[in-house]
Amino acid sequence: MFDNKFVQQRIEKAKLLKVAGFNPYSNNSKRNTTIEKYLNVNSDIADMEDKRDEKRHYIVSGRIKLLRVMGKASFVKIEDESGMLQVYVTRDNLPEDFYNTIFKKNIEVGDIIEVGGFPFVTGKGELSLHVDSFTILTKAISPLPEKFHGVTDKEIRYRKRYLDLIMNADVRKTFQTRSKVISLTRRFFEDKGFLEVETPMMHPIAGGANAKPFVTHHNALGIDRFLRIAPELYLKRLIVGGFEAVFEINRCFRNEGMDATHNPEFTSIEFYWAYKTYKDLIEITKEYFQYLFEHLNLPTQLPYGDMVVNFDNFIEIPLIESLTTIGGVPAESCKTKESILAYLKTQNITVKPNLNLGQLQGELFDLFVEEKLIDPTFITEYPVEISPLARRSDENPAITERFELFIAGREIANAFSELNDPIDQLSRFEGQMEAKDSGDDEAHEMDRDFVEALSYGMAPTAGQGIGIDRLVMLLTNEHSIRDVLLFPAMKPIHKEEIVEESE
RNA sequence: GUCUUGUUAGCUCAGCUGGUAGAGCACGUCACUUUUAAUGAUGUGGCCGAUGGUUCGAAUCCAUCACAGGACACCA
């Protein structure tokens, strides 16, 4: 480590600084303003006659991003979290020899410094800081990436996110937006009277969704636990317990493939609302989006890639209807197993054998409809076979009171009136067990403890889950989930690491 | 998991049909007190992702592997 020539050079400079009495890792910061505040407070300097006010004095800190030395004067661009500032450093305004022997020789791009001085506007019209005191706070011994192109290699950007954040201001912006989305989401539901709760991340049975879990082991108890694939069943137990509106924002884990929209750990919000139905969820979802757009200052005609998503146009359509009106599948080809299979054959599409009617309708939807849903669309009335936790429709027992929300061709939310009939829930689980036995390894697990909870009576409830990562992707116009996760999952670079981890 | 593209200096990238490696930025040295990716001069910097093969000779051709990007499959 640190055998690179440039790193060695910089380590040498850090030593020289120390010898000269300047701690290269000082924590003696006297900063009294941020760059953003400095620029705001001194915006009046430009209107002054001599374009300076030597009576004002500020101390700002930041990382050197650009350094232009011109003999006895230098321009340095420093950046803190709030912004970028040009500071003007001259030999004659610093202690004897400091400029020549310390600043010019041992200070370079990447170092974190603190400077004091007065505001002035340069000949080219840039509000800057005229430096009269200069402190090195932190010496960077590794050089930063190239100042103009920065770091673009995706592998470096994901593995060394800190470098990405140093070099790319828009990346910082994306993660600030992500943080705001989560904060606004929390505030939105709290303001509606929802209670934020925390339920287990390690489950004895991985339930609440159809997905493969990660397994871990509890040594003291000598038992395996599953990292949760969804918090659903625990949140519903809380509704049984008498809480009437709860939500949880946290991580879920699914042991499946990784791609532009899937990371093994991802963040969701799930909320459950007693004495409500999925119809109420449609309304609160529209309100939620309105709230987000308002507080994030986003246009309701939201650009996403080469699409424009119209958030003034929420659409609601039953799944079966969407197959025909949006997917272009003839209506008579959607109603029975045989007709669907025959239609798929004409389209040269093969699907897994032994699918039931509901599953086949789900296939048709995935194949012909999903990617066409650009404006926010609530797809309702899902077949009961693919909705093991949703309440049946009173009018039609083959379908459930459920919707999924699609935006820009992608699923953003899943919601339904909750199944609260314990006998029905038990038989749905049994149906899932049959599916599992006949080869569907993603069928829902049996959870008798949950059925027992329902047996004490769960008030009629509606519940919804929203994928926060995909939502943030949509709102920040990012097209890979890795670009909205600070530290996305990556394979280890060295084989040895895999061996260690498996031991 | 399959297909496909990539991996060359700290970073961004050239390197043709094989002949022992090149630029810009950064860094060193020199000049320069209002620059904006400052400028001019000059210099240092490389196990060409790894391992095998073909060849007199491989960054370049072939194979395998690793990692990454993209697409597909899987995945509500």
Side-chain angles (χ1 to χ4, degrees):
Chain A
M1 201 168 192
F2 300 142
D3 46 5
N4 176 278
K5 180 197 156 177
F6 299 107
V7 175
Q8 282 298 325
Q9 261 175 18
R10 296 177 78 120
I11 289 174
E12 199 50 42
K13 289 183 183 186
K15 282 184 193 154
L16 288 171
L17 283 169
K18 203 163 193 174
V19 168
F22 300 97
N23 184 352
Y25 299 101
S26 168
N27 65 353
N28 188 24
S29 173
K30 300 276 192 284
R31 174 162 84 156
N32 62 17
T33 189
T34 66
I35 286 172
E36 185 180 35
K37 281 186 198 151
Y38 175 88
L39 292 172
N40 285 338
V41 166
N42 296 301
S43 59
D44 58 329
I45 299 285
D47 301 326
M48 294 182 180
E49 201 176 330
D50 52 0
K51 308 240 182 237
R52 59 174 57 210
D53 184 351
E54 297 187 24
K55 289 191 206 72
R56 301 184 195 177
H57 193 270
Y58 301 92
I59 301 171
V60 296
S61 311
R63 187 188 296 276
I64 299 177
K65 297 297 287 290
L66 286 172
L67 188 57
R68 293 187 283 273
V69 179
M70 291 172 304
K72 299 179 188 67
S74 299
F75 288 94
V76 186
K77 291 257 181 173
I78 64 171
E79 189 174 46
D80 69 9
E81 188 182 341
S82 71
M84 182 101 78
L85 173 68
Q86 173 169 270
V87 305
Y88 181 59
V89 184
T90 57
R91 186 195 63 183
D92 298 340
N93 287 289
L94 289 171
E96 182 100 25
D97 270 356
F98 181 90
Y99 183 83
N100 284 326
T101 62
I102 302 300
F103 173 76
K104 272 169 75 174
K105 295 292 179 187
N106 297 308
I107 300 298
E108 57 206 318
V109 172
D111 295 346
I112 297 170
I113 60 166
E114 188 160 279
V115 289
F118 64 84
F120 78 113
V121 171
T122 64
K124 303 280 182 181
E126 181 166 349
L127 176 57
S128 308
L129 181 88
H130 206 293
V131 171
D132 58 31
S133 73
F134 189 109
T135 311
I136 170 90
L137 285 181
T138 303
K139 183 72 190 167
I141 59 169
S142 285
L144 287 185
E146 207 248 6
K147 66 184 176 188
F148 187 57
H149 299 94
V151 54
T152 59
D153 183 284
K154 281 195 182 236
E155 184 166 1
I156 299 176
R157 289 187 43 223
Y158 298 149
R159 287 193 197 276
K160 303 185 185 179
R161 183 66 89 181
Y162 51 90
L163 271 186
D164 190 26
L165 291 167
I166 290 171
M167 299 308 294
N168 299 317
D170 52 331
V171 172
R172 295 200 291 273
K173 186 94 197 312
T174 296
F175 287 104
Q176 282 158 354
T177 301
R178 182 186 171 110
S179 177
K180 275 187 206 158
V181 168
I182 290 171
S183 164
L184 288 167
T185 301
R186 184 166 273 126
R187 207 203 303 163
F188 176 82
F189 284 99
E190 281 175 347
D191 288 353
K192 293 265 175 209
F194 283 76
L195 183 74
E196 181 170 14
V197 296
E198 292 167 282
T199 64
M201 306 288 268
M202 295 196 292
H203 290 185
I205 296 168
N210 300 359
K212 292 182 202 118
F214 286 93
V215 188
T216 187
H217 189 75
H218 191 293
N219 289 337
L221 296 180
I223 50 171
D224 283 343
R225 295 273 97 146
F226 302 97
L227 298 190
R228 73 179 188 191
I229 56 175
E232 170 151 354
L233 301 186
Y234 283 92
L235 292 171
K236 285 199 271 202
R237 284 173 172 96
L238 295 178
I239 300 291
V240 172
F243 289 119
E244 296 180 6
V246 294
F247 75 98
E248 179 164 11
I249 301 176
N250 219 318
R251 225 67 65 79
C252 292
F253 307 86
R254 296 191 184 176
N255 205 343
E256 290 163 354
M258 290 157 59
D259 62 27
T261 55
H262 296 82
N263 194 70
E265 50 182 305
F266 63 98
T267 300
S268 72
I269 173 172
E270 286 201 13
F271 61 96
Y272 291 82
W273 208 8
Y275 309 107
K276 301 289 179 182
T277 72
Y278 80 111
K279 294 275 185 197
D280 298 301
L281 295 180
I282 289 179
E283 292 316 307
I284 201 176
T285 302
K286 290 180 186 171
E287 210 180 312
Y288 169 64
F289 272 95
Q290 200 181 351
Y291 182 85
L292 284 182
F293 273 63
E294 200 174 297
H295 288 84
L296 293 169
N297 264 322
L298 291 170
T300 53
Q301 307 293 313
L302 186 76
Y304 187 71
D306 48 15
M307 304 173 233
V308 175
V309 182
N310 183 359
F311 276 87
D312 290 326
N313 179 35
F314 279 88
I315 300 161
E316 197 180 317
I317 180 172
L319 186 136
I320 292 289
E321 202 180 315
S322 77
L323 297 179
T324 303
T325 58
I326 297 170
V329 181
E332 62 275 14
S333 300
C334 303
K335 290 183 180 129
T336 63
K337 251 178 94 163
E338 293 69 29
S339 63
I340 293 172
L341 287 170
Y343 179 75
L344 287 174
K345 203 160 191 177
T346 67
Q347 303 295 308
N348 276 325
I349 293 166
T350 51
V351 292
K352 278 192 278 188
N354 301 325
L355 294 185
N356 56 43
L357 176 60
Q359 288 171 321
L360 285 168
Q361 288 168 336
E363 286 288 328
L364 286 179
F365 177 81
D366 292 347
L367 288 165
F368 300 108
V369 182
E370 182 169 0
E371 63 177 12
K372 293 178 185 152
L373 303 176
I374 307 303
D375 290 348
T377 305
F378 296 98
I379 297 289
T380 61
E381 300 183 8
Y382 272 69
V384 68
E385 299 96 317
I386 55 175
S387 312
L389 302 165
R391 185 184 198 279
R392 277 179 214 272
S393 157
D394 288 338
E395 291 81 45
N396 179 357
I399 60 170
T400 55
E401 292 191 5
R402 173 183 176 191
F403 71 80
E404 286 196 2
L405 172 63
F406 292 86
I407 303 173
R410 209 173 269 156
E411 183 200 339
I412 296 290
N414 180 22
F416 36 85
S417 302
E418 300 297 335
L419 173 59
N420 65 346
D421 175 345
I423 305 297
D424 191 358
Q425 180 67 77
L426 182 63
S427 78
R428 302 268 195 107
F429 277 154
E430 282 164 354
Q432 291 289 309
M433 295 320 289
E434 280 170 30
K436 202 171 198 85
D437 289 342
S438 63
D440 181 359
D441 56 359
E442 265 140 21
H444 200 287
E445 294 286 344
M446 167 65 74
D447 190 339
R448 290 183 192 279
D449 183 77
F450 174 66
V451 176
E452 185 183 351
L454 288 187
S455 75
Y456 287 92
M458 180 175 80
T461 297
Q464 178 165 348
I466 301 173
I468 296 289
D469 311 285
R470 292 182 187 180
L471 176 63
V472 173
M473 284 168 68
L474 182 71
L475 300 179
T476 55
N477 199 5
E478 290 292 352
H479 291 74
S480 169
I481 196 168
R482 293 184 196 96
D483 290 318
V484 298
L485 294 168
L486 281 168
F487 299 101
M490 299 290 275
K491 285 196 198 178
I493 301 171
H494 304 295
K495 216 172 184 176
E496 302 84 75
E497 292 179 37
I498 298 176
V499 173
E500 279 171 25
E501 281 165 13
S502 64
E503 274 168 4

